[in-house]
């Protein structure tokens, strides 16, 4: 009996008997307080629950005490380590304060006993619901522990109800599954790792140095937001580490490493509407420069003579080269992990003699040059005597870098590279970094863009100029890095003409970017960290504000370990298939030489056949520019992504929610890339009641039968002919069909429906 009494005590929500059940209106939202739970709905759809606490007497707020971890970091890979010692188990609501159409505030106490602890922990709290200034379709919530009470409590938990069959999507770029049901989802910016579950390389790397192999949850660009298959959406605004627990059907629990939690519940009646509403928080992306949409941006390395010869060969092969991306413009250093960049952001004229003539010559032909910049600096004097500026030394002398507790610069590592990172809370350091971008990349190097890399490394035990908590600022760092870059170009008057692309991101990063890139994939076919991974990242990122993204064509990470099964080199087939995928939906058509320039790692310029294949699809990419331009307008105006899940248009089809190896390119194209090695057919699913589709290569029309079930069909897909269909009657589809026929790209295709 005593045990049962204890259980009842440990799991209860008690409302004061002083007030009865009542509905409170806040703008168009009704908040029902019935003495057992809270329920929120919108007057425009009273039968649709927007948000609800669990309908039994369970606390919807808990506080906890946990050991404060240092979030161990190895090469930018953060490990989610926490040790929760205690959580409260009892919640009382002692008062309800209501200001008509403005706010509803619940106050009370959180308490409970821990095993072996005589004194019950307790803390006062407030839970406020109020209108959002961003949209009438948003209702803001703010839960907070009272200062001066329960100071040892450093975790806050918010629990609420979900449909048992409801699926959850978003959380930024998730590279594991489109639906994250059944998982406890961490929200922390980190290096992605190499492998992320692909074996044996993940275990091999994690056993060597924990974290470098990555985990299912590791991502450069998480976001504390989601939408569901039941049209429920939540955006959290905290920048501290969070977990969202979806392991129990019908139950959601959000945990934040802080004493307060702020967020917003959203009323939306479709996925498109939900994405548009959520991107009011993230900000809508910027317009990519016109030139970037006209052809390929080819990633090359090797110095003036080598890259000039390759560009000439590509152009002779018919490749429309919109840009040449030279990430080694700063020169290379040679170490145990291969050729790495010198982190000193100026042209290395020893490595690239005649840089100015090369850049101006390509510009006369309509080809731009792009470079590489990140917020890290290493001492160039260790690797070259050609540097005209030692930015590392400047940063140390002026206190521009993140520091340790003893005031010394915080030294970090990216494999063999030892570096310090700019303190973005220091206004003088921000101005210094902006000047480096403007003077040395834009002006001297005449760069039309760059990879603005990294942003994931800020340690939790660092000391920042502003005095802010680094554990809270960590997730914001890539957002501030994007803001700095954008502001530098605004000050230079080149924001509309220069393209930079980033992999790391936080909640509001989209408003400072025109294109994201999905980071470092393995040169493999798998879904954990290879080719299939690209679609997963684009789908989840696309509904989380990353409306325009792309990947390294062919992947990036090349491994040549002696351990069996841990060598991965890019093949011509993989490169061709990656090229085909990127043609239909990528916001930038860009290649990468990879992490190794080994002759065994295949590149687009390595054979006449590969150049011909790449030229064909680069030209198709250019021909799709008018359609992409229309989608870019939707991205900027409504936050809608270029690459869309089938469920965005066909939410009524349950099967559409589970498809993550095909996608909609806008509303007019359905794309199912071939992503299996050696495959020549692809199973393509056409959602129920989706109408008629035209096969791009054959011109055959397919009509999906009317009924509840969709249509699945094996489609022939030899190299050069990825399964692409357009909506019958689409102006853009008919235009592309006419183009591929006119260019002779369809002559080798004989399949018929």
């Amino acid at each position: 009996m005593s045990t049962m009494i204890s259980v009842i005590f440990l799991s209860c929500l008690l409302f004061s008997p002083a007030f009865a059940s009542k509905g409170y209106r806040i703008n168009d939202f009704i908040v029902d307080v019935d003495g057992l739970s809270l329920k929120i709905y919108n007057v425009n759809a009273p039968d649709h629950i927007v948000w609800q606490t669990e309908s039994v007497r369970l606390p919807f707020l808990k506080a906890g005490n946990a050991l404060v971890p240092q979030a161990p970091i190895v090469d930018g890979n953060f490990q989610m380590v926490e040790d929760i010692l205690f959580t409260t188990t009892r919640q009382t609501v002692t008062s309800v304060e209501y200001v008509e159409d403005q706010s509803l505030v619940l106050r009370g106490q959180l308490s409970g006993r821990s095993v072996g602890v005589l004194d019950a922990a307790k803390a006062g709290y407030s839970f406020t619901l109020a209108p959002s200034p961003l949209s009438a379709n948003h209702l803001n919530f703010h839960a907070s522990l009272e200062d001066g009470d329960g100071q040892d409590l450093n975790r806050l938990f918010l629990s609420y109800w979900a449909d048992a069959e409801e699926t959850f999507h978003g959380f930024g770029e998730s590279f594991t599954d489109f639906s994250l049901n059944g998982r406890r989802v961490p929200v922390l910016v980190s290096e992605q790792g190499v492998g992320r579950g692909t074996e044996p390389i993940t275990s091999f790397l994690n056993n060597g140095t924990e974290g470098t192999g990555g985990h299912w949850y590791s991502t450069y660009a998480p976001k504390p937001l989601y939408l569901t298959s039941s049209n429920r959406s939540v955006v959290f605004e905290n920048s501290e580490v969070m977990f969202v627990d979806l392991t129990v059907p019908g139950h959601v629990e959000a945990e934040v490493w802080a004493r307060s939690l702020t967020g917003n519940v959203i009323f939306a009646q479709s996925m498109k509407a939900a994405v548009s509403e959520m991107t009011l928080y993230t900000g809508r992306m910027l317009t990519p420069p016109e030139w970037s949409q006209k052809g390929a941006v080819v990633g090359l390395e090797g110095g003036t003579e080598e890259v000039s010869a390759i560009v000439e060969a590509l152009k002779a092969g018919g490749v429309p080269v919109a840009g040449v991306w030279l990430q080694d413009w700063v020169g290379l250093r040679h170490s145990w992990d291969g050729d790495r960049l010198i982190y000193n952001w100026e042209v290395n004229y020893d490595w690239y003699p005649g840089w100015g003539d090369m850049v101006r010559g390509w510009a006369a032909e309509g080809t731009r040059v792009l470079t590489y910049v990140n917020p890290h600096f290493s001492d160039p004097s260790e690797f070259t005597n050609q540097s005209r500026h030692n930015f590392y030394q400047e940063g140390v002398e002026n206190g521009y870098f993140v520091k340790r507790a003893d005031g010394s610069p915080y030294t970090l590592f990216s494999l063999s590279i030892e570096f310090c990172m700019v303190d973005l809370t220091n206004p003088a350091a921000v101005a210094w970094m902006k000047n480096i971008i403007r003077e040395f990349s834009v002006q001297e190097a005449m760069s039309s863009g760059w990879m603005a890399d990294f942003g994931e490394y800020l340690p939790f035990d660092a000391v920042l100029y502003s005095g802010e908590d680094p554990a809270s600022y960590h997730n914001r760092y890539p957002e501030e890095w994007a803001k700095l870059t954008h502001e530098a170009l605004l000050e230079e008057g080149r924001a509309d003409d220069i393209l930079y692309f980033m992999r790391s991101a936080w909640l509001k990063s989209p408003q400072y970017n025109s294109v994201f890139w999905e980071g470092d994939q393995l040169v493999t076919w798998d879904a954990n960290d290879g080719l299939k991974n690209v679609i997963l990242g684009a789908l989840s990122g696309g509904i989380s504000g990353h409306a325009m993204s792309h990947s390294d064509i062919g992947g990036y990470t090349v491994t040549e370990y002696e351990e069996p099964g841990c060598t991965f080199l890019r093949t011509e087939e993989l490169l061709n298939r990656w090229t085909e995928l990127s043609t239909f939906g990528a916001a930038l058509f860009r290649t990468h030489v990879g992490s190794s320039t080994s002759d065994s790692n295949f590149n687009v310029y390595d054979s006449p056949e590969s150049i011909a294949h790449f030229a064909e699809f680069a030209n198709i990419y250019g021909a799709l520019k008018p359609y992409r331009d229309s989608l870019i307008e939707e991205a900027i105006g409504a936050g809608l992504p270029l690459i869309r899940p089938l469920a965005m248009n066909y939410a009524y089809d349950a099967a559409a929610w589970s498809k993550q190896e095909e996608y909609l390119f806008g509303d007019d194209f359905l794309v199912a890339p071939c992503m299996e090695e050696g495959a020549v057919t692809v199973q393509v699913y056409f959602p129920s009641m989706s109408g008629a589709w035209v096969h791009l290569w054959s011109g055959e029309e397919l009509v999906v039968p009317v009924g509840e079930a969709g249509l699945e069909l094996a489609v022939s897909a030899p190299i050069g002919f990825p399964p692409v269909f357009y909506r019958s009657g689409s102006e853009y589809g008919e235009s592309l069909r006419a183009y591929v026929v006119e260019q002779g790209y369809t002559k080798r295709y004989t399949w018929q429906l």
Side-chain angles (χ1 to χ4, degrees), residues 231-265:
N231 286 329
R232 280 184 272 271
S233 307
V234 174
V235 177
F236 298 101
E237 296 185 37
N238 287 63
S239 62
E240 293 88 358
V241 174
M242 289 188 66
F243 287 89
V244 180
D245 193 335
L246 306 173
T247 57
V248 179
H251 170 84
V252 182
E253 183 174 80
E255 172 196 347
V256 63
W257 291 12
R259 289 172 55 85
S260 64
L261 176 62
T262 300
N264 306 270
V265 296

Side-chain angles (χ1 to χ4, degrees), residues 150-479:
Q151 288 298 322
D152 58 336
L153 298 173
N154 56 11
R155 297 287 188 272
L156 194 60
F157 302 80
L158 176 66
S159 299
Y160 48 100
W161 165 90
D163 284 331
E165 304 300 321
E166 192 169 4
T167 56
F168 289 73
H169 312 271
F171 294 100
E173 280 184 347
S174 170
F175 294 100
T176 301
D177 283 300
F178 183 54
S179 170
L180 289 172
N181 286 54
R183 300 181 184 271
R184 186 168 179 255
V185 184
V187 188
L188 175 68
V189 172
S190 176
E191 276 269 14
Q192 179 175 282
V194 176
R196 299 185 71 259
T198 297
E199 297 296 359
I201 191 167
T202 303
S203 295
F204 169 68
L205 291 174
N206 280 338
N207 289 338
T209 307
E210 176 60 31
T212 56
H215 302 276
W216 71 264
Y217 56 78
S218 50
T219 174
Y220 308 102
K223 283 187 170 43
L225 55 78
Y226 65 80
L227 58 79
T228 79
S229 57
S230 297
N231 286 329
R232 280 184 272 271
S233 307
V234 174
V235 177
F236 298 101
E237 296 185 37
N238 287 63
S239 62
E240 293 88 358
V241 174
M242 289 188 66
F243 287 89
V244 180
D245 193 335
L246 306 173
T247 57
V248 179
H251 170 84
V252 182
E253 183 174 80
E255 172 196 347
V256 63
W257 291 12
R259 289 172 55 85
S260 64
L261 176 62
T262 300
N264 306 270
V265 296
I266 293 173
F267 170 66
Q269 295 181 286
S270 69
M271 185 188 291
K272 283 185 177 179
V275 170
S276 289
E277 294 290 346
M278 289 195 301
T279 54
L280 293 176
Y281 287 97
T282 65
R284 307 286 174 55
M285 294 187 68
L286 305 169
T287 305
E290 181 83 5
W291 61 264
S292 70
Q293 301 299 301
K294 294 181 177 180
V297 173
V298 183
L300 301 175
E301 292 181 3
T304 304
E305 184 176 350
E306 181 172 337
V307 301
S308 296
I310 294 172
V311 171
E312 183 177 345
L314 290 171
K315 290 185 175 182
V319 177
V321 182
V324 181
W325 173 48
L326 304 173
Q327 73 167 1
D328 66 340
W329 71 299
V330 294
L332 294 175
R333 44 165 291 181
H334 311 287
S335 188
W336 56 265
D337 54 342
D339 294 337
R340 301 293 301 276
L341 302 183
I342 298 173
Y343 285 3
N344 195 61
W345 312 120
E346 64 178 2
V347 178
N348 187 316
Y349 291 110
D350 184 50
W351 187 237
Y352 277 100
W355 173 276
D357 291 339
M358 179 184 70
V359 174
R360 284 186 287 269
W362 285 340
E365 299 171 356
T367 299
R368 307 288 189 113
V369 165
L370 295 87
T371 54
Y372 174 102
V373 181
N374 71 47
H376 303 164
F377 290 84
S378 58
D379 190 345
S381 64
E382 298 180 17
F383 315 109
T384 178
N385 58 8
Q386 298 298 317
S387 296
R388 288 158 289 117
H389 300 83
N390 187 324
F391 294 123
Y392 170 84
Q393 193 63 39
E394 285 184 27
V396 170
E397 291 174 356
N398 290 283
Y400 291 154
F401 297 141
V402 170
K403 294 181 175 59
R404 291 187 177 274
D406 63 5
S408 63
Y410 204 126
T411 300
L412 295 160
F413 291 87
S414 172
L415 297 178
S416 67
I417 300 179
E418 183 177 355
F419 65 89
C420 293
M421 61 191 302
V422 179
D423 186 342
L424 300 185
T425 72
N426 182 344
V430 169
W432 175 71
M433 187 73 215
K434 286 181 182 179
N435 185 66
I436 290 173
I437 289 173
R438 294 173 57 195
E439 182 175 347
F440 297 97
S441 187
V442 177
Q443 297 171 14
E444 181 181 346
M446 297 175 283
S447 175
S448 291
W450 50 84
M451 175 183 280
D453 204 2
F454 290 111
E456 310 90 2
Y457 277 69
L458 182 66
F460 280 31
D461 60 345
V463 174
L464 298 175
Y465 175 88
S466 66
E468 294 177 65
D469 180 3
S472 176
Y473 197 81
H474 169 88
N475 282 334
R476 284 179 49 206
Y477 191 95
E479 185 180 294

